[in-house]
Amino acid sequence: MLDTSMSTGLVAARRAGSHRRAQPQPSMSTRLLLVDDDARLTSMLGDYLTAAGFEVETAHSLAQGRQALEAALPDLLVLDLMLPDGDGLDFCRSLRGEARTRRLPVLMLSARGEPMDRILGLELGADDYLAKPFEPRELQARVKALLRRAEPEGQADDVLRFGRLEIDLAARVARLDGKPCDLTSHQFDLLVVLAQSPGRVLSRDQIMDALKGHPLDAFDRSIDVHVSRIRALIEDDVKNPRRVLTVRGVGYVFARKQDADS
């Protein structure tokens, strides 16, 4: 249900905007996905943010939100905590477990504004947390701040480097000594999951969870096989690997230091 003070704030913000000198607007290519079951709120916020220069898509359930994300990844997700078909916290946690959405900025909305609620939301992957009711101008300011933080500082940010091995996320290619490694799409995504958590042991279940956007038969019970094939392409000695290491009984760890000069 739309809070009266929030509704008043939206109206006031619109009126103030009509008398304010024009400000620089975000590019219309900046896409926001707003997931909230309050149709009136999403409509008013959608109009407000559109007027501010954003391209806004709305969804009223987790199912609709998931469908929208699968169709096209937005620049930022505004996600309500309580939705009719599930918990926004669980949804946010699942997004952080998928390679495609791990870095998607998420601003969480909730009528629950207690400190522990905010802490839990942030710990489960939200980048910011805004309690209802809120001023629409504050929402817009927080959205802009998150987008600034998400902006890449340079092309180098898209390349993970570990000694002689580099993983180009934008080009989706791994290179050893500057030469491309002939990885399949699935194997590249598996390598990225490991490489984005260097020094951290990942269980097979964690790896499967991170790759669950892939068809089930692509990785089901075959993580070890894919790791062996990756090693054949990026290791100097597959019998004594220095990049992707096995932790017996647990899973795998991507080594922080792999070459003598790294």
Side-chain angles (χ1 to χ4, degrees):
M1 185 173 183
L2 182 62
D3 187 276
T4 304
S5 60
M6 194 185 305
S7 177
T8 303
L10 283 164
V11 174
R14 285 172 174 168
R15 290 175 177 172
S18 65
H19 297 290
R20 193 181 298 119
R21 191 176 300 173
Q23 300 294 323
Q25 301 295 309
S27 167
M28 281 302 292
S29 63
T30 302
R31 296 183 59 254
L32 308 180
L33 174 60
L34 175 57
V35 183
D36 194 302
D37 62 331
D38 188 328
R40 186 181 174 202
L41 174 61
T42 55
S43 176
M44 295 183 73
L45 286 176
D47 290 345
Y48 179 80
L49 292 169
T50 298
F54 295 98
E55 180 181 343
V56 182
E57 182 177 2
T58 60
H60 300 127
S61 67
L62 291 181
Q64 291 179 6
R66 172 69 70 180
Q67 186 176 16
L69 287 171
E70 290 175 352
L73 203 63
D75 296 293
L76 183 142
L77 170 65
V78 180
L79 176 66
D80 188 34
L81 177 63
M82 295 181 289
L83 290 155
D85 56 343
D87 190 316
L89 290 175
D90 291 336
F91 185 66
C92 184
R93 180 167 49 191
S94 72
L95 295 179
R96 294 305 181 229
E98 298 177 23
R100 181 170 175 265
T101 54
R102 180 174 291 115
R103 296 172 182 263
L104 174 66
V106 176
L107 171 57
M108 188 164 285
L109 306 179
S110 176
R112 303 197 313 227
E114 295 299 319
M116 283 307 300
D117 293 319
R118 298 177 187 231
I119 292 170
L120 184 59
L122 295 171
E123 286 183 342
L124 290 179
D127 296 285
D128 200 357
Y129 191 107
L130 185 57
K132 298 178 181 179
F134 54 81
E135 287 291 331
R137 290 174 61 185
E138 181 180 3
L139 173 66
Q140 180 183 338
R142 287 176 181 265
V143 165
K144 289 182 176 179
L146 287 179
L147 290 171
R148 285 195 299 269
R149 282 162 48 187
E151 287 178 356
E153 295 180 2
Q155 189 66 22
D157 291 346
D158 291 333
V159 180
L160 305 178
R161 291 186 173 86
F162 301 90
R164 296 155 48 220
L165 176 69
E166 66 177 32
I167 304 170
D168 190 328
L169 303 180
R172 291 185 60 80
V173 62
R175 302 182 184 89
L176 185 64
D177 295 326
K179 298 179 180 179
C181 302
D182 190 21
L183 296 168
T184 67
S185 177
H186 296 325
Q187 291 163 5
F188 179 81
D189 287 339
L190 172 53
L191 179 61
V192 169
V193 168
L194 295 169
Q196 287 183 330
S197 300
R200 177 186 173 193
V201 179
L202 297 179
S203 69
R204 289 170 179 79
D205 287 342
Q206 288 175 312
I207 294 171
M208 286 286 291
D209 188 56
L211 294 166
K212 64 185 177 183
H214 290 270
L216 290 178
D217 61 354
F219 284 103
D220 190 26
R221 294 187 297 180
S222 61
I223 293 292
D224 297 339
V225 174
H226 285 289
V227 168
S228 295
R229 291 173 179 170
I230 290 171
R231 282 174 171 163
L233 294 168
I234 69 171
E235 298 284 1
D236 297 315
D237 182 354
V238 294
K239 294 183 179 180
N240 298 286
R242 300 185 62 181
R243 307 185 194 285
V244 181
L245 310 179
T246 300
V247 180
R248 291 189 180 278
V250 182
Y252 296 97
V253 58
F254 193 83
R256 289 182 179 275
K257 293 187 177 182
Q258 306 173 4
D259 299 304
D261 59 346
S262 63

